[in-house]
């Protein structure tokens, strides 16, 4: 649970400079930029009202004026002032920057190296020592740069994508939602118009990307689905599904944050996947039909069985017979 709280804390801290830079922005626009639902954004804004400086009274707490039509920071509690880092904090930040700069699509490598150089310069105090940040930043792959640009400009993308599980290259148009990190691989999370669903596209498998001259318009429910897939940390407090995947359905490993744990003699795969709620996970698994079987936990098995029986009963009432 602590990792989920730390993710929310980071988001809350980033909101203040974001809203200072975008005064009067609507809640829907801000939610799209920040990768959360409007409901989650409003919850975060209410939480920010209780954050601030020691004393925690009037004049100490962050103050905002917000509704779904407009959000504006009226008192930042000093969070917009330049940050002063201790040597330990600066070192930790450098380690994090150096780690993330090598992940395709996560950050602009030129900007990250400039930040590294500034922090190192402050640490050495102008001693003239050689700085890692002075080195030439790595060249970003054209497809990665195009994806980041389209995401920032809210544009649709045409991707040429290699699916490792099926060993095929496909071309599809997607509406970008955000970039995420899963098991040290960076992915584009987007609404795939071909599949009509939220999908993950691993950056090192995007062979080409073209930014289209049309806005990205993921359906409203796509943001909710993307939020449900937002459990990429291996948090033991989050429920873990155990699944058996038919060999013909191996492609789901490319599209969802699943971890393969075994390959069976019949060609089927066993995998795990963390999930937010039973209802959402049950709906997802039922969509795969016989291609994916739930092995555990028991409550998920029961939820899928209950929904399956309800669907069969509805078919029977409508006068249909279930095949097989």
């Amino acid at each position: 649970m602590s990792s989920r709280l730390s993710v929310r804390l980071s988001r809350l801290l980033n909101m203040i400079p974001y809203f200072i830079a975008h005064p009067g922005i609507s809640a829907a626009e801000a939610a799209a930029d920040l990768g959360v639902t409007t409901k989650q954004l409003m919850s975060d804004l209410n939480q920010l009202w209780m954050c601030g400086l020691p004393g925690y009274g009037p004049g100490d707490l962050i103050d905002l004026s917000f509704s779904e039509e407009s959000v504006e920071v009226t008192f930042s509690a000093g969070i917009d002032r330049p940050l002063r880092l201790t040597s330990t904090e600066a070192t930790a930040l450098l380690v994090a920057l150096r780690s993330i700069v090598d992940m395709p699509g996560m950050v602009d490598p030129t900007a990250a190296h400039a930040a590294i150089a500034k922090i190192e310069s402050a640490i050495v105090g102008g001693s003239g020592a050689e700085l890692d940040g002075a080195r030439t930043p790595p060249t970003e792959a054209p497809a990665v740069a195009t994806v980041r640009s389209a995401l920032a400009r809210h544009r649709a993308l045409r991707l040429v994508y290699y699916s490792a599980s099926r060993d095929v290259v496909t071309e599809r148009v997607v509406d970008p939602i955000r970039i995420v990190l899963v098991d040290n691989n960076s992915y584009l999370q987007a609404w795939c118009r071909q599949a009509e669903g939220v999908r993950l596209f691993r950056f090192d498998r995007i062979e080409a990307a073209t930014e289209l001259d049309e806005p990205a318009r993921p359906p409203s429910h796509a943001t909710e689905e993307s939020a449900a897939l937002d459990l990429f940390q291996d948090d033991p407090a989050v429920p873990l599904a155990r699944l058996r995947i038919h060999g013909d359905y191996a492609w789901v490993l490319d599209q969802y944050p699943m971890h393969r744990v075994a390959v069976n003699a019949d060609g089927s795969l066993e995998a795990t996947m963390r999930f937010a709620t039973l209802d959402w996970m049950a709906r997802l698994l039922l969509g795969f039909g016989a291609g994916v079987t739930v092995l555990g936990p028991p409550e998920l098995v029961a939820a899928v069985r209950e929904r399956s029986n309800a669907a069969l009963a509805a078919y029977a009432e409508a006068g249909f017979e279930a095949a097989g």
Side-chain angles (χ1 to χ4, degrees):
M1 186 63 68
S2 60
S3 65
R4 296 179 66 187
L5 292 175
S6 65
V7 168
R8 190 181 189 198
L9 175 61
S10 298
R11 187 170 69 243
L12 289 172
L13 292 174
N14 286 328
M15 279 186 172
I16 299 303
Y18 171 84
F19 285 117
I20 290 174
H22 301 84
I25 191 171
S26 72
E29 291 175 299
D33 283 349
L34 296 170
V36 297
T37 63
T38 302
K39 181 180 178 181
Q40 180 63 64
L41 178 75
M42 300 304 285
S43 174
D44 288 343
L45 290 173
N46 278 301
Q47 182 70 41
L48 279 172
W49 258 345
M50 295 178 277
C51 304
L53 301 170
Y56 309 109
D60 300 320
L61 300 178
I62 292 169
D63 199 8
L64 309 106
S65 171
F66 66 91
S67 65
E68 291 200 1
E69 288 71 37
S70 175
V71 182
E72 192 163 353
V73 177
T74 55
F75 177 63
S76 67
I79 202 170
D80 54 337
R81 291 199 293 267
L83 180 65
R84 294 187 178 184
L85 301 173
T86 65
S87 59
T88 301
E89 291 169 337
T91 301
L93 185 56
L94 283 173
V95 170
L97 280 170
R98 288 182 181 131
S99 298
I100 202 169
V101 77
D102 293 325
M103 299 292 176
M106 297 304 294
V107 294
D108 179 345
T110 302
H113 274 260
I116 289 171
K118 288 180 180 179
I119 295 170
E120 287 182 327
S121 178
I123 291 175
V124 301
S127 64
E130 181 68 22
L131 301 176
D132 286 347
R135 294 199 300 261
T136 303
T139 302
E140 191 172 36
V144 174
T146 299
V147 170
R148 283 199 308 102
S149 170
L151 189 63
R153 288 155 47 86
H154 305 288
R155 298 282 187 175
L157 280 166
R158 177 174 286 108
L159 300 180
V160 177
Y161 187 74
Y162 170 66
S163 174
S165 62
R166 290 180 291 165
D167 193 27
V168 296
V169 175
T170 60
E171 183 173 326
R172 61 189 76 198
V173 175
V174 303
D175 298 290
I177 297 173
R178 57 181 168 167
I179 294 170
V180 296
L181 187 65
V182 185
D183 284 344
N184 294 322
N185 289 304
S186 44
Y187 293 76
L188 169 68
Q189 192 178 65
W191 174 262
C192 176
R193 298 183 185 179
Q194 177 179 320
E196 296 185 342
V198 176
R199 296 291 184 265
L200 297 174
F201 300 96
R202 205 166 112 172
F203 270 92
D204 60 0
R205 295 176 184 166
I206 299 176
E207 298 191 353
T210 304
E211 183 176 330
L212 303 181
D213 189 22
E214 61 176 285
R217 292 194 182 95
S220 57
H221 66 270
T223 303
E224 298 175 5
E225 186 175 346
S226 111
L229 287 170
D230 194 26
L231 297 170
F232 298 120
Q233 296 88 356
D234 194 21
D235 186 347
V238 178
L240 182 70
R242 293 183 294 108
L243 312 169
R244 181 185 296 118
I245 303 169
H246 190 279
D248 292 340
Y249 279 71
W251 56 268
V252 303
L253 293 166
D254 285 337
Q255 308 293 354
Y256 294 92
M258 296 180 180
H259 305 278
R260 187 171 68 181
V261 295
V263 180
N264 299 321
D266 62 359
S268 65
L269 309 169
E270 291 189 16
T272 60
M273 177 178 170
R274 296 203 178 272
F275 59 95
T277 67
L278 278 175
D279 283 346
W280 182 87
M281 192 65 180
R283 287 199 306 270
L284 175 70
L285 295 174
L286 284 171
F288 297 134
V292 179
T293 302
V294 187
L295 304 177
E299 58 268 25
L300 180 59
V301 174
V304 171
R305 183 180 293 118
E306 181 181 348
R307 283 176 173 268
S308 298
N309 291 337
L312 291 173
Y315 269 97
E317 287 180 10
F320 295 101
E321 271 188 37

